[in-house]
Amino acid sequence: MGAYPVPATSMPNDQLLAVGLNANVRDPLRAGFQRPRAKLIYTQAASLGSGTQPLALGWDAAGSHGSTVYDDAYDGSKLVNVGTPGANGFQIKIPDIYRIRARITWAYNASASAGVRYLGLYQNYNNSFIAIGSAIGSIPSGVYGDPQALQYDYARWINGAPCSAKIDITMPCVEGTCLQLGIFQNSGVALAYVPGAAYMWFSIQAGG
Amino acid sequence: MPTGTPRTWAAGDGLTAALANAEFRDQFIALYGVPRGRLKRTSNGGITVASQTVGTLHTTVLPANLMKFNIAVYNAYTGAMVTGSTPWSRLIAPIDGIYDASGMLAFQGFQTGAVCAVLRQNATTIIDAEVMAGPGLNNTQIVGASGISSTTGDMTPSVGTEIKMVAGDFIEIYGTCNNAVGGDSIWGDSILSLEWKGTLA
């Protein structure tokens, strides 16, 4: 199980040795400065598709335009978990309170009619997102909540205007927790897409 | 200046006062007294927002106007996070690391169309953007839009993300809209902030 290094309690007659300084000063400080954090980003415009079901967002090179900006921790562990269907996102190695943030911006689309789009954060999704989607029902006719999402945000989408949605949540995560994003964009748009680099990103940071 | 990189000690290292200050005191200062700055406006009329057509807003690269600020709410590294005289447009990273960058633009009396706030690193790289549709559009499907029901309203797109920066990099916030609002369309209270969060390997 992952854990932060805990400084030892000094005792009488302890000698100040290099090995002790490294274990009890350097390592805890390093863990404080270099807590687990990672960020995924889209690097170019991308079509995300549309329909009546939510879509799981992918970040791997095969299915998207995603890229890892950084994936770093004091102990060398990695958070980014991509490439496996249903696993696109982050997987927790060290239990902590994590701040999880995400953004998507949809481009202007002249053919889009009124409606709602949303961005949702999901936990341990495991390739079952479509089943979750079927429970959401009749967006945009009146169902505005997704009970499976840890947090979600809607974007007002009127007359083809560009719009944004974001996630910003702080929550405790145990080792092994997987976190993914899903989007919904209803009918009436032929090509709903992220308009360019950095308009969709997903980040996680231990310690809030 | 602390950098957040603790020393690896070797056998035979003597613990001098200078080393103790550098490796204990300054490192803990870096943990608790991180570089952080926040800029704010105290008056309306921050930028003139150009009128643009819907089709040119937010398709590839956002055309936008630079927001400037006249007070520093706090500036933990005086002379480093901001430099020169007011109005400032940027917050500058004093050391390498991961930063939390954020900002908000308050558009007043907005009508039809959309507004946008864009956070940029080193003037050119877009690191976050938020677009909001104005209240003058058909609002039968508004969700979470603060109960807007008239044809004018105030719009506050906000941006924020973590970014890698090296010393000397800077952030700025830009605003744009496709409404013919003309002149002083930005309220005071618009803000820009930057805070160091740690190091990367």
Side-chain angles (χ1 to χ4, degrees):
Chain A
M1 179 176 176
Y4 293 111
V6 178
T9 299
S10 296
M11 302 296 289
N13 303 318
D14 276 357
Q15 292 186 332
L16 200 57
L17 301 176
V19 64
L21 287 171
N22 288 335
N24 296 300
V25 178
R26 181 198 60 184
D27 292 349
L29 277 171
R30 183 179 290 168
F33 289 123
Q34 200 182 337
R35 300 177 86 161
R37 50 174 61 94
K39 185 174 187 178
L40 294 162
I41 195 169
Y42 267 37
T43 55
Q44 56 183 300
S47 174
L48 301 176
S50 63
T52 57
Q53 301 282 350
L55 305 166
L57 288 181
W59 302 89
D60 52 312
S64 71
H65 304 279
S67 175
T68 300
V69 181
Y70 53 84
D71 185 5
D72 191 56
Y74 69 93
D75 63 350
S77 62
K78 302 296 180 185
L79 285 162
V80 173
N81 181 25
V82 300
T84 303
N88 288 306
F90 304 120
Q91 184 171 27
I92 302 301
K93 304 297 193 308
I94 298 175
D96 202 343
I97 303 291
Y98 283 82
R99 185 177 188 184
I100 303 150
R101 293 200 280 187
R103 165 83 74 184
I104 183 171
T105 287
W106 286 273
Y108 162 77
N109 188 303
S111 64
S113 56
V116 173
R117 300 174 177 179
Y118 82 68
L119 173 67
L121 173 68
Y122 293 83
Q123 180 174 257
N124 300 332
Y125 141 60
N126 196 25
N127 209 26
S128 60
F129 196 82
I130 298 304
I132 295 171
S134 64
I136 295 175
S138 55
I139 286 177
S141 64
V143 178
Y144 297 128
D146 178 354
Q148 303 296 334
L150 298 172
Q151 189 181 70
Y152 53 84
D153 186 34
Y154 288 97
R156 186 186 177 213
W157 174 36
I158 306 296
N159 296 348
C163 55
S164 301
K166 60 185 172 186
I167 297 288
D168 192 344
I169 185 174
T170 300
M171 57 178 281
C173 295
V174 300
E175 184 176 10
T177 298
C178 290
L179 299 159
Q180 303 88 16
L181 294 178
I183 61 167
F184 176 89
Q185 41 197 12
N186 62 351
S187 60
V189 54
L191 179 64
Y193 63 95
V194 177
Y199 289 107
M200 189 167 77
W201 51 264
F202 186 21
S203 70
I204 187 167
Q205 178 173 289
Chain B
M1 181 179 292
T3 61
T5 306
R7 174 190 178 92
T8 295
W9 297 83
D13 281 352
L15 188 58
T16 63
L19 268 179
N21 288 335
E23 302 303 330
F24 299 158
R25 181 197 61 186
D26 291 351
Q27 296 292 347
F28 283 108
I29 286 174
L31 267 182
Y32 303 125
V34 301
R36 53 167 71 97
R38 184 181 182 93
L39 302 178
K40 184 177 180 295
R41 282 199 65 84
T42 56
S43 60
N44 296 350
I47 58 175
T48 298
V49 181
S51 174
Q52 293 147 12
T53 62
V54 171
T56 62
L57 176 63
H58 207 274
T59 51
T60 52
V61 177
L62 285 166
N65 291 28
L66 179 62
M67 181 69 181
K68 294 187 177 180
F69 303 87
N70 57 339
I71 64 167
V73 180
Y74 51 82
N75 182 23
Y77 279 68
T78 301
M81 298 292 278
V82 291
T83 59
S85 57
T86 59
W88 301 297
S89 68
R90 62 186 59 172
L91 284 165
I92 306 167
I95 60 176
D96 297 359
I98 288 289
Y99 284 80
D100 192 343
S102 61
M104 182 273 285
L105 294 179
F107 291 82
Q108 61 174 324
F110 193 73
Q111 300 172 358
T112 58
V115 296
C116 186
V118 180
L119 198 57
R120 292 188 185 180
Q121 184 172 1
N122 298 339
T124 56
T125 303
I126 295 172
I127 52 176
D128 193 24
E130 179 165 276
V131 187
M132 302 175 77
L137 294 172
N138 182 317
N139 59 6
T140 57
Q141 296 292 340
I142 290 177
V143 176
S146 304
I148 293 171
S149 59
S150 65
T151 56
T152 62
D154 303 327
M155 309 290 288
T156 56
S158 61
V159 286
T161 188
E162 293 99 26
I163 52 173
K164 285 194 297 186
M165 302 181 83
V166 298
D169 281 0
F170 60 90
I171 61 163
E172 295 171 316
I173 188 168
Y174 292 71
T176 191
C177 72
N178 61 352
N179 184 27
V181 290
D184 295 339
S185 61
I186 298 288
W187 270 3
D189 297 333
S190 297
I191 59 101
L192 179 69
S193 65
L194 184 66
E195 177 175 334
W196 186 81
K197 302 298 291 186
T199 57
L200 288 174

